[in-house]
Amino acid sequence: MQSEPGFEQVTARATIQDLVYRQLRNALINGDFDPGQTLTISSLAGQFGTSHMPVREALRRLAAETALDVARNGSARVPVVSRARLDDLCRARMAVEGLAAELGARFITDEDRTRLAAIEGQHTAAAKAGNVYQMLLANRDFHFAIYRASDSDVLVQLIDTLWLRFGPYMRMLSTHVRPLVEQGPHEPYIKQHLAILAAIEARDESRTRQELEQDIQTTWDMLKDLCH
């Protein structure tokens, strides 16, 4: 059973709403909540050490981003998963992230490539250690390092929103992958990241896009069997 996300108590009055919002948003992207899980204002306020107001505002903002479904009593629910929604999200991810990867390969700097290789090293190390949570965090850092190299704020913002809506599927993925990683490094993800790196090193924009899309396809195929 996975543990609840460890939220930090928020005390800075001027930024309290933004801090609550950002922590909840990151938790959703990381798949820290189960699909269909109810998040109550009182429970979250207790974890953050705040009043109900900033939590209520954070939930409202996340609902506006379609990351949560909010009930009339103010409680929120993580969206349930479905095969149709999975397919819709993954098709969008392949289109938008594929373009960002292609542009990233075009504009990436030597410093960016060095940083990207280091992040993949962290990803592989986490996989070898059987630490699924750190592996998924490194996976997110790896992808967004490529996307930010595209020099397109619009694409990065779109991708960030897609990953937010993909959160419930990340929860399913981490639950599924955990026993596999604990038995040893989960090769498909490591090999795919190395293939992306090789394409970027070769400054092959088309192949970078193809390898990035294949990375998403690998996740998509894995999740298809888990969505009924």
Side-chain angles (χ1 to χ4, degrees):
M1 182 176 179
Q2 299 188 24
S3 60
E4 290 294 325
F7 294 124
E8 298 177 7
Q9 290 204 351
V10 178
T11 58
R13 186 175 299 274
T15 58
I16 188 168
Q17 290 186 1
D18 283 341
L19 288 173
V20 170
Y21 164 75
R22 284 200 296 269
Q23 287 195 61
L24 277 174
R25 197 176 193 282
N26 279 330
L28 287 164
I29 291 176
N30 294 337
D32 288 342
F33 300 110
D34 290 320
Q37 180 177 343
T38 297
L39 308 177
T40 64
I41 292 175
S42 58
S43 175
L44 290 171
Q47 293 182 62
F48 284 117
T50 69
S51 66
H52 286 193
M53 185 62 72
V55 174
R56 183 180 292 110
E57 175 62 18
L59 295 180
R60 185 196 65 76
R61 290 172 65 180
L62 290 164
E65 294 181 87
T66 67
L68 291 173
D69 301 321
V70 177
R72 290 183 178 179
N73 64 0
S75 65
R77 188 181 71 161
V78 178
V80 297
V81 298
S82 71
R83 175 63 187 275
R85 185 175 172 84
L86 170 69
D87 292 347
D88 194 21
L89 283 168
C90 285
R91 281 193 295 264
R93 284 191 58 194
M94 290 181 75
V96 179
E97 295 177 45
L99 175 57
E102 183 177 334
L103 293 174
R106 181 183 306 174
F107 298 120
I108 196 166
T109 65
D110 291 341
E111 182 180 353
D112 290 335
R113 287 203 299 274
T114 299
R115 185 183 307 112
L116 191 62
I119 293 171
E120 176 45 35
Q122 295 168 7
H123 175 264
T124 299
K128 289 181 178 179
N131 190 329
V132 175
Y133 190 75
Q134 290 299 322
M135 185 182 79
L136 292 178
L137 287 180
N139 175 71
R140 178 181 170 188
D141 290 343
F142 179 84
H143 278 258
F144 276 87
I146 297 171
Y147 304 149
R148 291 190 184 97
S150 71
D151 199 29
S152 172
D153 290 339
V154 172
L155 286 175
V156 172
Q157 289 168 4
L158 288 172
I159 294 167
D160 183 64
T161 298
L162 287 171
W163 278 55
L164 176 62
R165 299 176 69 176
F166 200 72
Y169 300 92
M170 288 299 293
R171 178 68 163 194
M172 291 178 62
L173 182 65
S174 64
T175 300
H176 176 72
V177 168
R178 175 167 280 100
L180 302 176
V181 172
E182 289 174 349
Q183 296 170 11
H186 198 47
E187 294 298 327
Y189 288 110
I190 296 174
K191 288 182 178 179
Q192 200 57 48
H193 279 200
L194 293 177
I196 294 170
L197 273 174
I200 289 175
E201 287 291 341
R203 292 194 175 277
D204 189 328
E205 298 169 24
S206 177
R207 184 156 65 95
T208 298
R209 180 171 190 157
Q210 291 173 2
E211 297 294 358
L212 191 286
E213 289 175 346
Q214 183 56 51
D215 187 58
I216 296 173
Q217 186 69 59
T218 298
T219 298
W220 189 358
D221 291 340
M222 194 176 299
L223 286 169
K224 284 178 183 178
D225 295 333
L226 303 178
C227 287
H228 303 292

